[in-house]
Amino acid sequence: MSDNKGYNEVSVLIVGAGPAGLASAIQLKAKKPQIDVCVIEKAADLGNHNLSGAVLEAEPLHTLLDSAVPEWQQSDNAKEVLEKKVKKEKVMFLLGKKWSINILFAIKLAKMLSLGPGQMLHKGDYIVSISKLTKWLGHIAKGLGVEVLTGFAAEDIIFDESANRATGVRLVDQGLDKEGNKQPNFIEGEIISADFVVLAEGCDGLLTEKFIEKAKLQRYSPQLYSVGVKELIKVSPEQYEKFGCWRVVHAMGFPLWTPIIGPGMFGGAICYPGTDDHISVGVIVGADWKYCDFNPQDALTNFKQHKFVKQFIDGGTVVEAGAKMIPEGGYYAIPRDAKTGSIGKGNVMILGDSAGLVNMLKIKGLHLAIDSGIQSANAIVEIFNNPRAAALKYTELIDQSNVAKEMKSAKSFRQTIAKFGPLLGMPFSVFGGLLPKFKVEEDYKAMTAARYKLKGKQNFDKDTFTAMAAAEHREDQTSHLTILDSDICKTRCTPGFNSPCITFCPAGVYETVNDRVTPANPSNCLHCKTCQRKCPFDNIRWTVPEGAGGPRYKRM
Ligand code: SF4
Ligand code: SF4
């Protein structure tokens, strides 16, 4: 293997410049500076497609940066991105639109008794913008000599099963028109060849899912998802001070579930402080909701109108907004090779959210994503001359790391709630890793004709929301969204479920045109992939559009 190949032939190709992929790249350069590493990212700029709460456990990031750039704490970027640490926290149970109880005492008690929910305490963690964190990690990676290519979207992984190795990935064709015809600016998607392929695309990655199929990886239980919608709100200095710039609030209950009246959806909400009088508010909803007219943005509106939240944000201005899915299936939804248990196969490793590495007792995966990046790099360095041993070595290192420990601690958490509902499932969750193994069905199968009772009178203003996400695609390219059978929409879904994609898509992509449901506004797409996982007939496929399209998050 040569050390200086062109970008279309590299030793290590990392798909996705999020925290997992960039951690892998940085650790590789720290351990073996002469190795050539290329990271490809579909977004136009680093951080544009990254959205999270986010509260970040410091240890994996410190471990990574201490070895790669020992002077990192002195940099202006570090001071800006890691400016805030959690000093105070509240865990609120919201009852109806007015009442709330701080149940932090119960979480502290759980911690004292070593029960699962005790993991929800965050004192000492960083409060970060994942878009800014990603941008910063990208600069570090570039500084260490990593080739970071933004605007490079990949559509396939070339995997030779008999040889047990991937030879590379194929980029998306650029310059096709809406009908798929080649335009004068057409560029055929190149193949980037690599000795090692690291899949770090985030949740529900296109290449990852194709690879799982090609390599016949299996999940014991299907991946389950939640949908998160978030707004960054500029508030008055008085409101910001009242909220507290070092305080995080996690909430559960209204408007997703309450002990007496329902509506019985799993999920929660957050309020985190940003800088310069900004507060982030967000709602995360388990994608196994049953209401065909439910839209997570309605839940966000309800949450913002709750008396406890309203006091901090009333009169504020939304300056940025976005949506994404989170993989929640936990330990039993990690894709593995049936024979060896490896998370990946041959020379291909699956990292972070792509592998479903989220600790559901914390509803956090950012620290696990970075840790998995470190482990993947360590694996490559250890078996550098034997690429086909990469997935096995990576899995061995993951199993010895905190990643496996945390994933095991919350083994059946989400499946328990999917099976028994939040009312019974949440109390069971205190038993964490002691819960038995459950298989559950995919989220989309949970949809019914039932209606969400707490829906507001007015439709959510999706146009403004989408504008705040700054989503953009080249308008006249081939749509990256496909409805497989539009007759199903017309004859079964619209009469039975009232075409839920029109309601739940946060960007208003789907509309009824000439009596047919269609992805009429693909250029609004936020790449959250909710439609692919929540259409009740599994009738939508999301593929990657041309590079550089999508949302442009700056402070999410
Ligand atoms: Fe229903 Fe799916 Fe058709 Fe939308 S695409 S109308 S959700 S079947
Ligand atoms: Fe999300 Fe699908 Fe709507 Fe795009 S079209 S914003 S992926 S739900």
Side-chain angles (χ1 to χ4, degrees):
M1 283 172 260
S2 79
D3 288 344
N4 287 303
K5 303 165 180 174
Y7 87 79
N8 54 3
E9 194 189 348
V10 292
S11 293
V12 183
L13 175 63
I14 299 171
V15 185
L22 291 170
S24 180
I26 291 169
Q27 178 78 352
L28 275 164
K29 280 292 183 185
K31 291 216 136 184
K32 201 170 169 68
Q34 69 277 27
I35 198 169
D36 59 315
V37 184
C38 176
V39 184
I40 55 169
E41 166 57 46
K42 65 182 166 65
D45 200 3
L46 286 167
N48 277 8
H49 289 186
N50 297 96
L51 180 149
S52 183
V55 167
L56 167 67
E57 283 187 22
E59 205 179 318
L61 183 70
H62 285 193
T63 306
L64 175 74
L65 298 181
D66 285 347
S67 78
V69 272
E71 72 294 352
W72 67 272
Q73 306 235 20
Q74 314 313 322
S75 79
D76 290 343
N77 279 329
K79 286 174 191 156
E80 189 197 335
V81 177
L82 305 179
E83 181 195 341
K84 288 188 184 302
K85 274 192 170 183
V86 180
K87 290 186 183 167
K88 287 185 178 170
E89 58 191 310
K90 277 191 172 183
V91 180
M92 306 300 293
F93 192 90
L94 307 183
L95 289 151
K97 292 178 185 170
K98 289 189 182 156
W99 307 102
S100 57
I101 312 166
N102 186 0
I103 56 166
L104 187 66
F105 68 93
I107 307 295
K108 286 184 172 170
L109 183 65
K111 184 164 174 115
M112 277 167 55
L113 298 172
S114 300
L115 294 172
Q119 292 196 41
M120 273 183 73
L121 294 172
H122 299 292
K123 208 165 176 180
D125 294 344
Y126 291 119
I127 309 164
V128 297
S129 146
I130 190 178
S131 324
K132 287 187 180 178
L133 174 72
T134 302
K135 218 175 192 20
W136 174 40
L137 291 178
H139 287 310
I140 292 173
K142 284 181 191 174
L144 292 169
V146 175
E147 187 91 48
V148 181
L149 304 172
T150 52
F152 277 58
E155 67 173 9
D156 205 0
I157 177 163
I158 300 150
F159 181 70
D160 181 346
E161 202 187 348
S162 58
N164 196 27
R165 72 185 298 265
T167 50
V169 309
R170 184 190 302 279
L171 301 180
V172 170
D173 290 342
Q174 307 266 126
L176 293 171
D177 69 10
K178 285 191 177 174
E179 283 73 44
N181 303 312
K182 293 176 186 174
Q183 297 301 287
N185 60 345
F186 175 76
I187 304 169
E188 189 171 350
E190 280 182 84
I191 291 175
I192 305 182
S193 309
D195 300 315
F196 298 89
V197 178
V198 178
L199 296 174
E201 304 170 279
C203 182
D204 200 14
L206 182 86
L207 258 59
T208 305
E209 296 306 313
K210 280 189 176 178
F211 177 69
I212 288 170
E213 217 176 305
K214 287 182 181 188
K216 300 189 179 72
L217 302 188
Q218 293 176 2
R219 295 177 164 112
Y220 175 76
S221 186
Q223 186 56 274
L224 300 174
Y225 300 92
S226 68
V227 180
V229 285
K230 176 180 164 181
E231 290 179 350
L232 183 66
I233 303 176
K234 174 94 174 168
V235 299
S236 70
E238 294 74 31
Q239 285 170 312
Y240 187 71
E241 198 180 325
K242 189 175 176 188
F243 182 78
C245 66
W246 309 101
R247 185 171 77 150
V248 293
V249 175
H250 294 95
M252 58 182 88
F254 177 86
L256 301 177
W257 65 282
T258 57
I260 300 162
I261 58 157
M265 283 181 280
F266 173 70
I270 57 150
C271 291
Y272 294 164
T275 49
D276 302 328
D277 303 337
H278 288 88
I279 295 178
S280 295
V281 291
V283 165
I284 300 153
V285 191
D288 55 347
W289 73 72
K290 63 180 180 180
Y291 305 102
C292 64
D293 63 339
F294 178 72
N295 169 12
Q297 289 160 317
D298 289 332
L300 180 62
T301 303
N302 287 335
F303 177 63
K304 285 165 65 181
Q305 286 168 353
H306 189 282
K307 192 177 166 198
F308 173 78
V309 183
K310 202 171 176 181
Q311 61 180 317
F312 303 118
I313 59 166
D314 201 23
T317 309
V318 177
V319 296
E320 207 167 319
K324 73 162 283 198
M325 287 204 305
I326 303 163
E328 293 196 337
Y331 189 76
Y332 293 120
I334 296 173
R336 293 179 186 272
D337 178 65
K339 272 195 206 140
T340 65
S342 61
I343 308 169
K345 196 164 184 178
N347 61 339
V348 184
M349 291 157 279
I350 310 176
L351 273 54
D353 276 14
S354 288
L357 302 179
V358 171
N359 176 350
M360 279 309 295
L361 283 166
K362 298 178 177 173
I363 319 189
K364 298 217 165 352
L366 197 41
H367 63 299
L368 302 183
I370 294 172
D371 206 342
S372 70
I374 295 171
Q375 305 309 334
S376 67
N378 291 347
I380 291 171
V381 171
E382 257 192 67
I383 51 82
F384 191 64
N385 293 317
N386 183 14
R388 279 181 290 193
L392 275 174
K393 177 50 79 178
Y394 165 63
T395 309
E396 187 188 316
L397 297 181
I398 286 281
D399 285 344
Q400 292 161 9
S401 74
N402 181 55
V403 177
K405 191 175 153 207
E406 285 204 22
M407 292 302 291
K408 284 178 185 167
S409 77
K411 265 196 271 188
S412 281
F413 176 91
R414 191 63 187 83
Q415 284 83 357
T416 307
I417 290 171
K419 207 165 184 81
F420 298 105
L423 286 185
L424 281 176
M426 288 294 269
F428 283 161
S429 74
V430 300
F431 300 108
L434 302 175
L435 292 167
K437 215 171 172 181
F438 290 113
K439 262 189 196 174
V440 292
E441 297 206 303
E442 290 88 349
D443 290 318
Y444 72 89
K445 292 182 179 163
M447 187 78 89
T448 68
R451 307 291 161 131
Y452 178 57
K453 293 189 186 76
L454 300 177
K455 202 169 171 71
K457 287 195 181 79
Q458 285 187 327
N459 283 334
F460 186 87
D461 179 1
K462 292 187 183 183
D463 289 343
T464 305
F465 188 90
T466 312
M468 289 297 128
E472 220 174 70
H473 293 81
R474 189 172 68 80
E475 286 283 343
D476 56 350
Q477 65 181 290
T478 317
S479 175
H480 65 286
L481 294 150
T482 307
I483 293 180
L484 299 178
D485 184 346
S486 65
D487 282 344
I488 290 180
C489 308
K490 191 166 178 171
T491 58
R492 297 173 67 191
C493 189
T494 303
F497 299 95
N498 204 20
S499 319
C501 58
I502 296 177
T503 310
F504 66 62
C505 167
V509 167
Y510 295 89
E511 286 180 6
T512 304
V513 180
N514 298 331
D515 210 22
R516 295 246 165 217
V517 175
T518 177
N521 312 301
S523 55
N524 283 358
C525 179
L526 304 181
H527 295 202
C528 71
K529 301 169 200 158
T530 306
C531 51
Q532 173 160 269
R533 297 297 171 186
K534 199 52 194 169
C535 162
F537 293 92
D538 190 21
N539 197 20
I540 295 176
R541 292 294 174 269
W542 187 98
T543 52
V544 183
E546 282 183 5
R552 288 164 195 249
Y553 303 136
K554 298 290 173 223
R555 291 174 285 182
M556 297 305 265

